[in-house]
């Protein structure tokens, strides 16, 4: 969506690039071109703000993903340690099994040797031991010894068999646990990879957004510069226009009381002696303020001292300023006629009551207004 908007804006810039950036054409043409550029600048700012909002959202998502990655890494580390512990236990079990297998092999060799001897001698082996007894007590003792030997062999074999079965069971259990743990670690690795891919995708998207923002700001700077050039061209064109001619009309019809003249005076608010750059004309709130001659509005807005004010250019380097208005009725770039209402009396800005502060400026220098007023 934003890509399309940016493409549209860039297309508009291309179209606007055909406008002259220096003097040339009528004032109205230049003002129209400036208005179009200012509209595009406003659109740029809206798009940049929207992209910055998206960038902030993506950054928040990246922070969440980073937290998930850290948590997954810690979890994976704990599972890895558990896996190592199980592997060590399995290794110990395998070593124990090897030792027991060695014992079993030794005992089997002893038993096999015994069985081989018994097989070769038949049942006479044990009988000879008994018959060679010196007496009945010796014979009984030898029989007990034979029984103990046989029982010991049987018990040993049984014990080894049971231990081997127990260790095999433990080994199987541990192997199963290790396989399960490996599956968990693989799942964690897959999840971690998924989050990492998402994070990189977000970073790429953020980089793209930042690139768009940079491009918008670059184009906006170019249009600001172009607007400034057109503004300069407008001023030059206005200076080139001859003065509308004649004396200026009174700016507040029906109200002629001057409460503060042009020149030195004591400031009504601070009481400090200062230069007053215009004349103050008292009038009721809401009274009409008119343009003193034909011209073009070159400023309409706010100033902390003037309050709501308008400047009208009359050509020939002559301009008039109307300050402290309660309401502005004309806008920048508007052509106005002699006697046309452009604002209403008020007391905005640095003011002690309802009045018009009126100035005449010649090439930017404030002069005595009464020299121009009818």
């Amino acid at each position: 969506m934003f890509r399309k908007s940016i493409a549209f804006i860039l297309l508009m810039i291309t179209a606007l690039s055909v406008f002259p950036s220096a003097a040339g054409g009528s004032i109205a043409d230049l003002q129209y071109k400036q208005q179009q550029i200012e509209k595009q600048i406003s659109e740029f700012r809206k798009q940049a703000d929207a992209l910055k909002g998206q960038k902030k959202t993506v950054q928040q998502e990246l922070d969440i993903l980073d937290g998930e990655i850290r948590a997954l890494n810690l979890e994976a580390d704990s599972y890895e340690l558990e896996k190592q512990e199980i592997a060590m236990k399995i290794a110990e079990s395998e070593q124990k099994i090897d030792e027991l297998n060695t014992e079993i092999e030794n005992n089997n060799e002893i038993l096999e040797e015994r069985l081989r001897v018994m097989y070769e001698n038949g049942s006479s082996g044990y009988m000879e031991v008994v018959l060679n007894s010196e007496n009945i007590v010796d014979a009984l003792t030898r029989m007990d010894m034979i029984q103990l030997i046989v029982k010991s062999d049987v018990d040993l074999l049984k014990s080894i068999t049971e231990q081997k079965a127990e260790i095999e069971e433990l080994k199987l259990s541990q192997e199963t646990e290790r396989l399960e743990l490996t599956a968990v670690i693989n799942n964690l690795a897959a999840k971690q990879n998924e989050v990492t891919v998402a994070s990189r995708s977000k970073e790429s998207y953020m980089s793209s957004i930042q690139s768009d923002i940079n491009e918008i700001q670059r184009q906006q700077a170019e249009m600001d510069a172009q607007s400034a050039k057109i503004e300069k061209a407008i001023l030059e064109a206005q200076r080139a226009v001859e003065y509308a001619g004649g004396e200026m009309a009174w700016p507040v019809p029906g109200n002629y009381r001057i409460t503060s003249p042009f020149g030195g005076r004591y400031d009504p608010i601070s009481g400090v002696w200062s230069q007053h750059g215009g004349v103050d004309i008292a009038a009721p709130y809401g009274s009409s303020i008119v343009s003193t001659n034909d011209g073009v509005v070159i400023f309409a807005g706010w100033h902390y001292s003037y309050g709501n004010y308008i400047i009208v250019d009359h050509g020939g380097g002559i301009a008039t300023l109307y300050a402290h208005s309660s309401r502005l009725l004309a806008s920048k770039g508007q052509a106005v006629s002699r006697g046309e209402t452009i604002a209403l009396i008020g007391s905005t800005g640095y003011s002690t009551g309802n009045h018009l502060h009126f100035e005449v400026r010649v090439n930017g220098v404030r002069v005595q207004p009464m020299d121009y007023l009818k």
Side-chain angles (χ1 to χ4, degrees):
M1 173 182 177
F2 285 97
R3 290 285 184 185
K4 292 181 179 178
S5 299
I6 292 167
F8 172 75
I9 294 170
L10 295 178
L11 180 62
M12 290 299 296
I13 293 172
T14 303
L16 288 171
S17 65
V18 300
F19 293 164
S21 57
S26 68
I27 293 175
D29 288 341
L30 290 170
Q31 288 174 337
Y32 173 76
K33 293 167 186 177
Q34 185 182 34
Q35 289 171 0
Q36 295 304 306
I37 289 177
E38 288 175 352
K39 286 180 181 179
Q40 291 305 313
I41 290 173
S42 176
E43 183 65 24
F44 269 124
R45 288 171 180 163
K46 289 179 182 178
Q47 294 293 335
D49 289 341
L51 287 171
K52 287 176 182 178
Q54 280 200 0
K55 181 180 176 182
K56 183 178 179 180
T57 300
V58 172
Q59 184 60 59
Q60 291 172 346
E61 293 177 0
L62 277 173
D63 292 340
I64 293 173
L65 285 169
D66 288 341
E68 291 181 5
I69 289 173
R70 286 193 294 271
L72 285 169
N73 283 332
L74 290 174
E75 192 173 356
D77 290 342
S78 67
Y79 276 108
E80 186 62 33
L81 288 173
E82 187 175 347
K83 178 182 177 182
Q84 292 175 5
E85 291 176 359
I86 292 175
M88 289 175 64
K89 289 180 181 179
I90 292 174
E92 291 174 358
S93 297
E94 289 174 347
Q95 182 179 356
K96 187 174 181 181
I97 290 172
D98 290 340
E99 293 174 355
L100 288 173
N101 283 332
T102 301
E103 287 185 26
I104 290 171
E105 289 176 1
N106 293 335
N107 290 329
N108 281 337
E109 289 178 2
I110 294 172
L111 290 174
E112 287 174 0
E113 180 63 23
R114 235 176 239 158
L115 291 172
R116 185 180 63 76
V117 172
M118 289 176 62
Y119 175 77
E120 291 176 352
N121 298 327
S123 61
S124 61
Y126 288 122
M127 292 299 295
E128 287 180 359
V129 173
V130 175
L131 292 175
N132 289 332
S133 303
E134 297 178 357
N135 51 50
I136 187 65
V137 174
D138 186 28
L140 292 173
T141 300
R142 293 188 180 197
M143 289 179 65
D144 288 339
M145 289 178 62
I146 290 170
Q147 290 178 354
L148 287 173
I149 291 171
V150 173
K151 185 177 183 301
S152 175
D153 290 341
V154 172
D155 289 344
L156 178 62
L157 184 58
K158 181 179 179 181
S159 176
I160 291 174
T161 302
E162 290 175 351
Q163 288 177 351
K164 186 174 180 180
E166 181 181 353
I167 291 173
E168 288 293 338
E169 183 179 350
L170 175 62
K171 182 178 178 180
L172 179 61
S173 175
Q174 288 180 335
E175 187 67 22
T176 301
E177 187 175 0
R178 184 173 67 179
L179 291 174
E180 292 176 354
L181 184 60
T182 300
V184 171
I185 291 175
N186 289 338
N187 289 336
L188 279 170
K191 178 64 176 177
Q192 187 174 6
N193 182 67
E194 179 183 340
V195 175
T196 301
V197 169
S199 179
R200 288 175 180 171
S201 175
K202 294 288 184 182
E203 289 174 353
S204 176
Y205 182 45
M206 175 168 283
S207 177
S208 174
I209 290 175
Q210 185 59 53
S211 177
D212 289 342
I213 291 174
N214 293 341
E215 178 62 18
I216 285 176
Q217 290 174 340
R218 186 186 69 79
Q219 296 288 355
Q220 181 181 329
E222 288 183 1
M223 296 191 78
D224 284 336
Q226 190 176 22
S227 178
K229 288 181 180 180
I230 292 178
E231 177 70 23
K232 183 179 178 181
I234 291 172
L235 292 175
E236 290 175 354
Q238 288 173 336
R239 290 193 186 100
V241 175
E242 293 184 359
Y243 175 57
E247 293 180 332
M248 295 182 178
W250 190 255
V252 191
N255 296 279
Y256 304 99
R257 185 167 65 93
I258 296 176
T259 57
S260 184
F262 176 85
R265 67 165 186 174
Y266 287 103
D267 188 278
I269 295 178
S270 67
V272 177
W273 182 263
S274 60
Q275 285 296 120
H276 188 221
V279 294
D280 291 347
I281 304 170
Y285 180 88
S287 299
S288 295
I289 299 172
V290 302
S291 176
T292 59
N293 213 337
D294 296 344
V296 176
V297 177
I298 59 174
F299 183 87
W302 171 266
H303 184 271
Y304 77 95
S305 178
Y306 286 140
N308 293 320
Y309 77 108
I310 282 182
I311 299 177
V312 178
D313 187 277
H314 304 288
I318 298 175
T320 52
L321 180 148
Y322 312 77
H324 305 308
S325 302
S326 61
R327 183 182 175 190
L328 303 178
L329 302 179
S331 57
K332 182 179 178 181
Q334 179 179 335
V336 293
S337 302
R338 177 189 178 96
E340 180 179 343
T341 301
I342 58 175
L344 301 178
I345 289 290
S347 184
T348 57
Y350 194 72
S351 171
T352 56
N354 294 320
H355 73 284
L356 167 67
H357 172 84
F358 175 74
E359 296 180 5
V360 175
R361 298 186 177 190
V362 178
N363 295 323
V365 179
R366 294 183 291 186
V367 298
Q368 171 59 266
M370 302 306 296
D371 292 341
Y372 290 83
L373 290 174
K374 179 179 179 181

